[in-house]
Amino acid sequence: MESVEENVDGILNICSSVGEVADACQDLARYTGVPIVRIDEEMCREAVRQGQRIGVMATLSSTLNPTKNTVLRVAREMGKHVEMVDALVEGGFGLNPDQFRELMTKYAKEIADKVDVILFAQGSMAYCEQYIADIIGKPVLSSPRFGAIALRRAMEAKGLM
């Protein structure tokens, strides 16, 4: 509400762990005219479009369930059934980018045969997206570009762009 009182044009929720809070505020967003856009919602929709077996990778357990819940919700909205496969990437904190990419690749390879598409539950993983997709030969999705597009659409719908 402080943001609404400050006359913001929109709110971009960039944390998957609290995405369900953003969902709970959607009626308020419509009432105030300030859209609340989740960085990961369109990514989850795209995952459902691309496959039935969806892998969710995260370095924090607190992001796994909220992301999986979003995938399941959008699948229901789209009238599709999905199966979820988790990959909790342990030991990722403190690694340099190359070490982290290799650790992510290890976990992605472990679930690759069980999924049609992999999505990253944290935007900070995005730099590994294409690298891992090339290695496992399956789509890998991360939220930053989807969130940016969704925010732009929200601003266009308000006539601001």
Side-chain angles (χ1 to χ4, degrees):
M1 286 309 297
E2 288 179 25
S3 296
V4 170
E5 290 170 6
E6 293 293 326
N7 296 315
V8 299
D9 295 322
I11 297 170
L12 176 63
N13 173 24
I14 62 169
C15 183
S16 303
S17 295
V18 296
E20 292 164 319
V21 174
D23 290 343
C25 294
Q26 289 305 319
D27 285 340
L28 178 64
R30 284 186 284 281
Y31 178 77
T32 63
V34 176
I36 301 172
V37 177
R38 289 185 57 174
I39 194 170
D40 61 346
E41 187 164 344
E42 272 307 308
M43 172 190 67
C44 293
R45 276 194 178 82
E46 184 60 25
V48 172
R49 285 184 201 104
Q50 291 197 27
Q52 181 180 353
R53 301 174 308 152
I54 299 172
V56 178
M57 294 181 66
T59 61
L60 297 169
S61 59
S62 63
T63 60
L64 273 176
N65 283 336
T67 302
K68 289 172 20 181
N69 289 343
T70 301
V71 171
L72 293 170
R73 176 179 56 81
V74 299
R76 281 191 308 272
E77 291 170 0
M78 297 168 72
K80 296 189 175 187
H81 171 75
V82 296
E83 299 169 18
M84 308 294 295
V85 176
D86 295 356
L88 182 58
V89 181
E90 297 184 32
F93 288 106
L95 298 179
N96 71 41
D98 291 334
Q99 293 169 324
F100 184 74
R101 187 173 28 250
E102 291 309 312
L103 184 63
M104 290 284 290
T105 302
K106 173 185 174 267
Y107 279 86
K109 285 179 177 179
E110 289 176 6
I111 65 169
D113 290 341
K114 302 172 191 166
V115 300
D116 303 314
V117 59
I118 292 176
L119 60 84
F120 293 161
Q122 295 154 249
S124 60
M125 302 169 146
Y127 73 94
C128 300
E129 181 179 357
Q130 192 59 54
Y131 178 81
I132 292 173
D134 290 343
I135 288 174
I136 67 168
K138 294 191 177 181
V140 177
L141 308 174
S142 62
S143 59
R145 64 189 161 98
F146 288 98
I149 292 167
L151 183 60
R152 179 181 179 98
R153 287 181 182 149
M155 296 301 98
E156 287 172 345
K158 282 187 74 166
L160 298 174
M161 297 183 90

